[in-house]
Amino acid sequence: MAIPPIVIATWPFGKEAVEQALPLLAKGKPALDAAIVGAQAVEDNPKVMSVGFGGIPNRIGTVSLDACVMDGKTMNCGAVAGVENIKHVASLARLVMEKTPHVLLVGEGAKWFALQNGFVLETLLTPESVAEWYKKRPKDLKMDGHDTVTVLALDQTGHLGGVCTTSGLSYKLPGRVGDSPIIGAGLYVDDEAGAAGATGTGEEIIRISGSHLIVELMRNGKSPQEACELAVKRVNQLAVRRGVHAAEVAFLALDRKGNYGAACSESSQFSFAVGQSGKIEMITAKKVSGGVG
Ligand code: ASP
């Protein structure tokens, strides 16, 4: 019997991703295909100023994109980081997975690989993103707004797939790469345990291998909700240990039975879109304070 498919995606703009992915899953398409189509809709939307086309540039005015994909059935994965002038970096990450023996290509190499494979150079700047960049340009090394689209899907055959794509922190230092293209940090998908993804301050998510941590917690019997909450606690705990303010992070997770969960730091307001049985709803994630995990 076909398994009821489900797709979840980060932030209010995740609704757009879910709207695209859910009908594909209903038609029997594989989880990863549907998740990439969903993520690409957000990459294409210039109004989303933290993903793809129209993303706020880095400190020197360049839009630099990061993305990764992972297939839960095969554990195949691919990623690109620091890519300029290529719009669909989630698809590019998939090509790295499918056409190379590597997992991660960066910068000029990733761009060269894209051009070899039919991608075209495009400006990722829009009048709005340039205006925003000028307006809020910080005087010091402060980095500002962010938000990544992470899409997790379960298809009718019971396989999981995930995608994470972002322009990263606005005003980031040139060359800075966050968690989003790092397998295990921004995304991790294993049919045998579950799928997890992240958004928020990438450095703190990398420090705890956030998505991998959540998947391993699910492997050991935690529900997606419990696992996400524990990951936020781990971030909080580390902040206490390091004597810094707890960073804003948010996690979401999905298992092979279609159970899902999400959690975020106390200081965040994180919502995510859930699509199943032809319906899409927005859910506000539970805020988690306190440490351990
Ligand atoms: N995690 C992204 C990064 O650090 C930003 C975000 O999702 O808010 O680049």
Side-chain angles (χ1 to χ4, degrees), residues 1-6 25 154-159 256-258:
M1 209 181 73
I3 295 179
I6 174 167
L25 292 170
L154 172 69
D155 65 30
Q156 285 185 7
T157 61
H159 295 300
R256 269 185 101 178
K257 292 187 185 137

Side-chain angles (χ1 to χ4, degrees), residues 25-112:
L25 292 170
K27 280 188 204 141
K29 296 279 182 216
L32 187 57
D33 292 16
I36 290 176
V37 170
Q40 191 159 305
V42 183
E43 289 176 340
D44 279 337
N45 184 347
K47 292 200 181 113
V48 180
M49 290 177 138
S50 51
V51 179
F53 179 56
I56 304 273
N58 65 12
R59 198 158 179 83
I60 56 170
T62 305
V63 183
S64 169
L65 302 181
D66 302 331
C68 72
V69 302
M70 191 160 185
D71 181 351
K73 183 177 177 185
T74 56
M75 307 280 296
N76 278 342
C77 47
V80 291
V83 186
E84 297 171 11
N85 300 109
I86 302 289
K87 203 194 267 181
H88 297 144
V89 281
S91 288
L92 184 59
R94 185 192 196 144
L95 272 190
V96 172
M97 173 180 103
E98 287 176 345
K99 290 201 164 188
T100 80
H102 309 304
V103 167
L104 173 62
L105 294 182
V106 305
E108 286 301 309
K111 190 195 282 184
W112 179 86

Side-chain angles (χ1 to χ4, degrees), residues 130-150:
V130 171
E132 189 71 13
W133 185 83
Y134 269 109
K135 200 166 63 192
K136 295 208 190 130
R137 209 165 19 146
K139 304 260 175 323
D140 51 24
L141 282 183
K142 191 173 168 293
M143 287 167 263
D144 200 11
H146 42 84
D147 290 350
T148 295
V149 69
T150 301

Side-chain angles (χ1 to χ4, degrees), residues 201-277:
T201 309
E203 284 71 7
E204 302 314 312
I205 296 164
I206 292 173
R207 227 182 290 284
I208 65 153
S209 296
S211 294
H212 183 258
L213 170 66
I214 291 168
V215 170
E216 292 312 303
L217 287 165
M218 291 195 284
R219 197 189 305 280
N220 288 313
K222 298 291 182 208
S223 69
Q225 182 61 36
E226 289 167 337
C228 288
E229 289 181 25
L230 285 167
V232 177
K233 286 193 173 180
R234 182 76 63 95
V235 170
N236 294 344
Q237 183 70 19
L238 200 48
V240 172
R241 187 168 133 199
R242 288 159 51 79
V244 295
H245 282 295
E248 288 191 5
V249 296
F251 297 103
L252 77 177
L254 176 67
D255 72 15
R256 269 185 101 178
K257 292 187 185 137
N259 301 310
Y260 60 86
C264 65
S265 339
E266 189 69 40
S267 52
S268 310
Q269 292 283 351
F270 175 59
S271 60
F272 61 106
V274 178
Q276 59 186 334
S277 313

